[in-house]
């Protein structure tokens, strides 16, 4: 039971991180970044390829690579598309995502690359008669810490307040002196850092990295930001968390029927969207602007 | 003049806009397919893609609402048509079909009827899901259609009572010649063209251009989108069935993300706002793709051979989509219908 709750929390937390990474970028430039999945993938590849280094060094390395990739993505592609219709940017990011997948396939091969990353993570911890895996405990703690850190960052620092202002109304924020290029680049860096964390959490659970490694996570995180309220950062995180928790619980409860857990999840999403088309934390009017 | 009196309500009908694309599609198909059997197969697959891109153009192009969900109508169409034409002996003895629901084992139609059934199935499925989906707007709608694709794929991939689940359904009857798929596609092009000119098509484009203003003019957005979604689902179901009849097998993975990406790329590269864009995009993307495929296999194209590593093709297609979006966000056709070059059209005016 405790294991189930912990699993749900850690999966929910992971999805919340991924959704937040997507939501940060969406907020500043109305871009649904499908290629986020390739950021998660590159983070995982970096961890697997630098497996011989100490884990912290390897992880730092992957954070640097991932955020660099995110910034490059913005500079080379998305900067030129700024102001285009959201649908155009969505398709462009879909194309970029496919492009990077093919590049990974060319570089690393289509078959999974694997390495045992932090083997002690799969150990179990006995605690008052219940046993829980180290990985789920650490993931749960890590995501809670990260979410609190993000909360602090968004609410208390100048960068965070600028980000929130830009998400609410980008044009007005610019008029009030928010530097657009600067802020957007920073949002991409943050999104890259979050992707690196998500990639690391995923790769510990499943060290088989292949070119489409981040795809599933990203699609579900996207669904998360839509049900949470696409133009609100806390909404994104909440939506992601809900998706993760529902998925984890469905996987536990459905038993043999767990192959259909995605269908149930998506059905739940449909219902939420029908009741609240703008997402759980939306204020109604915001949809019109998008 | 002639055009206006010919079909009532068509205000912008022009012969060149529809006939030249028809001639290009028919001419290039007939010419290329006679050259080799591999090109014949390529043309057949391209015609299926064209049908799918037409379907996407009807909805995505005219409404401006992205749909990742059309693959699910193609899946349904393919399953209906595949199960209707696969021989009884295969349905009873194939390992992957041992759990098939009895009425489906007995379900049997000839090729023409199965195509019709798949179009209807696609249309009905679109009508049922569209009733919910069309209430959503903008990006929420895009993501929700993704969820639709996810559900359909998830169910068809795992349930072996309604189909071959994750295996292939073999023995689906194949098109004996190019005639039937070509005629179907040409017919669809004419239908889509007239649809785009019709009151419904124009109303839908009005909602794309300005959501608020069109509502102010008394357009029921949910209704016009829903009707187009149905028409579009019909064509997508047909496209999925055609794909099954070209390949001779049905496998649900064929209609999932790769298929969705490839057909959307065709639409966007050509320009989603016009029939000509859909046709041009399909020709350009599948043409480039075929040339690169031949080069990957070291086959000469028009006497030129370049040795490319396997995988170049997919990179180039995805790269092409991104570059086109950066360079010309409205696609190669820029959203216009086919127009003769200026000097030619001047001659015709007198």
């Amino acid at each position: 039971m405790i294991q189930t709750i912990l699993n749900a929390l850690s999966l929910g937390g992971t999805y919340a991180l991924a959704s937040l990474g997507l939501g940060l970028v969406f907020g500043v430039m109305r871009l649904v970044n499908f290629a986020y999945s390739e950021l998660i993938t590159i983070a995982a590849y970096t961890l697997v390829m630098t497996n011989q280094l100490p884990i912290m060094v390897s992880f730092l390395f992957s954070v640097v690579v991932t955020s660099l990739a995110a910034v490059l993505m913005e500079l080379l592609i998305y900067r030129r598309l700024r102001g285009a219709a959201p649908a155009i940017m969505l398709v462009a990011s879909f194309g970029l995502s496919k492009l990077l997948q093919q590049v990974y396939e060319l570089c690393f091969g289509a078959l999974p690359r694997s390495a045992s990353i932090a083997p002690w993570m799969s150990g179990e911890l006995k605690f008052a008669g219940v046993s829980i895996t180290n990985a789920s405990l650490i993931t749960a703690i890590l995501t809670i810490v990260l979410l609190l850190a993000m909360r602090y960052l968004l609410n208390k620092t100048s960068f965070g307040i600028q980000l929130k202002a830009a998400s609410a109304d980008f044009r007005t924020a610019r008029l009030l002196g928010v530097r657009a290029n600067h802020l957007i680049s920073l949002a991409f860096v943050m999104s890259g850092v979050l992707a690196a964390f998500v990639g690391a959490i995923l790769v510990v659970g499943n060290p088989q990295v292949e070119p489409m490694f981040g795809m599933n996570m990203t699609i579900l995180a996207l669904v998360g930001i839509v049900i949470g309220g696409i133009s609100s950062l806390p909404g994104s995180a909440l939506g992601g968390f809900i998706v993760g928790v529902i998925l984890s619980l469905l996987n536990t409860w459905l038993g043999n029927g767990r192959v259909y857990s995605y269908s149930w999840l998506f059905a739940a999403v449909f219902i939420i969207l029908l009741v609240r088309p703008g997402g759980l934390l939306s204020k109604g009017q915001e949809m019109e602007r998008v | 003049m002639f055009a206006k009196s010919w079909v009532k309500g068509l205000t912008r009908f022009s012969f060149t806009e529809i006939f030249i694309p028809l001639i290009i599609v028919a001419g290039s198909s007939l010419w290329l397919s006679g050259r080799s059997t591999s090109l014949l197969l390529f043309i057949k697959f391209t015609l299926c893609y064209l049908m799918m891109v037409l379907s996407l153009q009807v909805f995505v192009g005219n409404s401006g609402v992205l749909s990742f969900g059309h693959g699910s109508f193609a899946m349904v169409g393919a399953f209906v048509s595949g199960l209707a034409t696969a021989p009884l002996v295969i349905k009873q003895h194939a390992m992957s079909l041992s759990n098939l629901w009895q009425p489906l084992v007995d379900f049997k139609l000839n090729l023409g009827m199965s195509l019709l059934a798949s179009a209807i199935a696609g249309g009905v499925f679109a009508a049922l899901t569209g009733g919910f989906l069309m209430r959503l707007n903008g990006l929420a709608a895009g993501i929700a259609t993704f969820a639709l694709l996810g559900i359909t794929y998830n169910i068809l991939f795992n349930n072996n009572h309604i189909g071959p689940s994750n295996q292939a359904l073999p023995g689906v009857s194949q098109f004996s010649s190019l005639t039937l798929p070509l005629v179907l596609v040409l017919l669809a092009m004419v239908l889509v063209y007239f649809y785009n000119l019709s009151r419904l098509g124009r109303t839908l484009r009005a909602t794309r251009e300005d959501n608020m203003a069109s509502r102010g003019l008394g357009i029921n957005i949910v209704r016009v989108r829903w009707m187009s979604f149905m028409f579009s689902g019909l064509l997508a179901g047909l496209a999925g069935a055609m794909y099954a009849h070209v390949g001779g097998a049905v496998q649900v993975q064929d209609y999932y993300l790769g298929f969705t990406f490839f057909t959307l790329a065709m639409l966007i590269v050509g320009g989603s706002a016009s029939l000509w864009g859909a046709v041009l995009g399909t020709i350009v993307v599948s043409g480039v793709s075929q040339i690169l495929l031949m080069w990957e296999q070291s086959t000469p194209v028009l006497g030129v051979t370049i040795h490319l590593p396997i995988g170049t093709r997919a990179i180039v297609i995805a790269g092409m989509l991104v570059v086109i979006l950066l360079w010309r966000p409205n696609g190669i056709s820029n959203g216009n219908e086919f127009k003769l070059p200026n000097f030619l059209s001047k001659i015709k005016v007198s």
Side-chain angles (χ1 to χ4, degrees):
Chain A
M1 188 62 198
I2 296 207
Q3 179 72 56
T4 309
I5 294 174
L6 208 59
N7 279 345
L9 282 182
S10 67
L11 197 65
T14 315
Y15 278 99
L17 289 179
S19 294
L20 200 55
L22 283 163
L24 280 172
V25 168
F26 183 83
V28 285
M29 60 182 296
R30 307 280 126 189
L31 161 72
V32 174
N33 190 8
F34 259 107
Y36 191 73
S37 87
E38 278 53 53
L39 293 178
I40 297 177
T41 313
I42 194 77
Y45 269 128
T46 319
L47 281 174
V48 169
M49 302 312 260
T50 59
N51 187 34
Q52 62 280 17
L53 299 174
I55 180 80
M56 283 322 284
V57 178
S58 157
F59 177 67
L60 272 181
F61 194 60
S62 105
V63 170
V64 172
V65 169
T66 314
S67 35
L68 207 66
V71 172
L72 276 180
M73 222 178 240
E74 197 269 328
L75 268 180
L76 296 179
I77 311 282
Y78 297 135
R79 182 158 293 196
R80 291 152 204 265
L81 279 173
R82 222 177 271 170
I88 301 261
M89 290 201 283
L90 177 59
V91 175
S93 77
F94 198 47
L96 184 62
S97 155
K98 281 280 160 201
L99 180 64
L100 289 175
Q101 277 171 20
Q102 296 300 332
V103 172
Y104 294 164
E105 195 173 321
L106 216 59
C107 297
F108 304 107
L111 294 173
R113 293 282 187 118
S114 68
S116 74
I117 289 155
W120 50 271
M121 284 280 223
S122 52
E124 289 199 335
L125 200 69
K126 294 254 191 255
F127 184 76
V130 286
S131 66
I132 39 183
T133 58
N134 284 339
S136 62
L137 186 67
I138 290 176
T139 313
I141 294 173
L142 185 68
T143 51
I144 291 169
V145 170
L146 270 174
L147 287 173
L148 286 176
M150 284 304 293
R151 196 185 139 92
Y152 173 79
L153 191 81
L154 287 176
N155 290 331
K156 293 290 180 333
T157 64
S158 159
F159 164 66
I161 293 167
Q162 288 182 33
L163 258 183
K164 281 207 300 184
S167 298
D169 190 338
F170 192 67
R171 203 189 287 169
T172 313
R174 280 193 84 172
L175 289 176
L176 291 171
V178 167
R179 285 180 297 170
N181 287 341
H182 195 70
L183 190 70
I184 290 178
S185 298
L186 269 175
F188 269 91
V189 171
M190 288 302 307
S191 143
V193 172
L194 287 173
F197 273 100
V198 173
I201 293 171
L202 286 183
V203 87
V204 166
N206 165 30
Q208 307 278 324
V209 185
E210 35 90 37
M212 290 178 79
F213 183 76
M215 196 75 192
N216 239 339
M217 183 81 191
T218 306
I219 293 176
L220 292 174
L222 274 177
V223 169
I225 65 171
V226 172
I227 63 173
I230 199 158
S231 43
S232 124
L233 287 175
S236 307
L238 176 72
F241 188 76
I242 293 175
V243 166
V245 169
I246 295 183
L247 197 60
S248 175
L249 292 181
L250 280 174
N251 276 335
T252 314
W253 287 338
L254 288 178
N256 281 336
R258 88 167 61 94
V259 286
Y260 297 114
S261 54
Y262 286 124
S263 296
W264 291 112
L265 174 73
F266 285 141
V269 168
F270 262 10
I271 293 168
I272 293 178
L273 283 180
L274 280 178
V275 180
R276 288 192 70 99
L280 293 172
L281 290 192
S282 78
K283 294 178 197 76
Q285 287 182 332
E286 284 178 303
M287 276 320 285
E288 295 299 337
R289 197 165 52 86
V290 173
Chain B
M1 270 302 148
F2 167 70
K4 273 186 190 169
S5 56
W6 189 44
V7 189
K8 205 177 167 191
L10 293 183
T11 47
R12 283 188 56 250
F13 177 79
S14 131
F15 261 124
T16 50
E17 281 180 11
I18 176 66
F19 276 98
I20 304 240
L22 282 177
I23 289 167
I24 290 175
V25 169
S28 58
S29 303
L30 293 172
W31 177 62
L32 277 172
S33 61
R35 294 176 71 90
S36 75
T37 40
S38 68
L39 276 177
L40 173 64
L41 193 65
F42 160 69
I43 289 294
K44 283 182 180 169
F45 273 120
T46 307
L47 288 174
C48 305
Y49 283 126
L50 181 52
M51 183 66 94
M52 191 64 192
V53 177
L54 288 173
S55 145
L56 285 170
Q57 200 272 322
V58 165
F59 183 73
V60 177
N62 285 322
S63 74
V65 176
L66 260 186
S67 167
F68 295 100
H70 276 61
S72 46
F73 309 137
M75 281 176 204
V76 169
F79 267 60
V80 167
S81 205
L83 287 170
T85 59
L88 192 64
V89 52
I90 282 184
K91 284 201 271 190
Q92 280 169 340
H93 294 101
M95 278 296 279
S96 57
L97 297 173
S98 50
N99 278 331
L100 195 66
W101 192 39
Q102 193 56 40
L104 283 179
V105 177
D106 303 328
F107 181 50
K108 182 79 190 151
L109 295 171
N110 64 22
L111 186 59
M113 289 310 285
S114 79
L115 284 168
L116 186 66
S118 62
I120 294 173
V124 169
F125 191 38
L128 292 176
T129 51
F132 301 104
L133 287 170
M134 296 304 109
R135 291 164 193 273
L136 300 171
N137 247 325
L139 289 166
I143 304 296
T145 54
F146 220 118
L148 173 66
L149 182 67
I151 294 185
T152 319
Y153 177 73
N154 187 239
I155 292 176
L156 291 178
F157 186 81
N158 288 303
N159 193 321
N160 57 8
H161 299 289
I162 51 172
S165 66
N166 55 3
Q167 312 274 307
L169 169 69
V172 176
S173 61
Q174 285 174 285
F175 288 127
S176 52
S177 69
L178 190 64
T179 322
L180 185 55
L182 184 60
V183 167
L184 283 173
V185 166
L186 296 179
L187 208 64
M189 281 170 67
V190 174
L191 275 177
V192 169
Y193 181 70
F194 283 114
Y195 165 82
N196 284 351
L197 290 182
S198 72
R199 182 188 161 90
L200 186 63
R202 281 177 292 144
T203 333
L204 189 64
R205 282 202 295 285
T207 69
R208 175 190 72 194
E209 295 304 324
D210 194 328
N211 196 309
M212 294 294 254
S214 59
R215 220 180 299 171
L217 290 168
I219 296 174
N220 182 343
I221 295 185
V222 176
R223 194 175 145 268
V224 290
R225 279 189 184 162
W226 188 52
M227 296 188 50
S228 311
F229 200 62
M230 243 188 293
F231 178 39
S232 165
L234 204 118
L235 293 179
L238 191 57
M242 282 171 62
Y243 198 87
H245 291 306
V246 172
V250 178
Q251 196 165 17
V252 63
Q253 293 95 315
D254 289 350
Y255 304 90
Y256 195 42
L257 291 174
F259 182 79
T260 306
F261 170 72
F262 204 50
T263 46
L264 264 181
M266 287 173 176
L267 181 69
I268 306 288
V269 165
S272 64
S274 63
L275 171 74
W276 175 232
V279 173
L280 195 62
T282 313
I283 292 176
V284 169
V285 172
S286 50
V288 169
S289 163
Q290 176 68 14
I291 290 171
L292 292 173
L293 180 73
M294 287 168 83
W295 277 342
E296 278 180 3
Q297 299 164 341
S298 303
T299 322
V301 178
L302 298 174
V304 184
T305 318
I306 302 175
H307 299 281
L308 293 176
I310 309 279
T312 323
R313 181 165 69 123
I315 293 191
V316 172
I317 299 292
M320 197 160 94
L321 172 69
V322 174
V323 170
I324 293 270
L325 282 172
L326 291 178
W327 164 65
R328 214 170 166 151
N330 290 328
I332 303 176
S333 74
N334 206 10
N336 296 321
E337 287 298 350
F338 181 84
K339 237 165 58 186
L340 287 169
N342 257 339
F343 63 97
L344 277 177
S345 50
K346 270 187 193 138
I347 302 169
K348 289 187 75 182
V349 166
S350 58

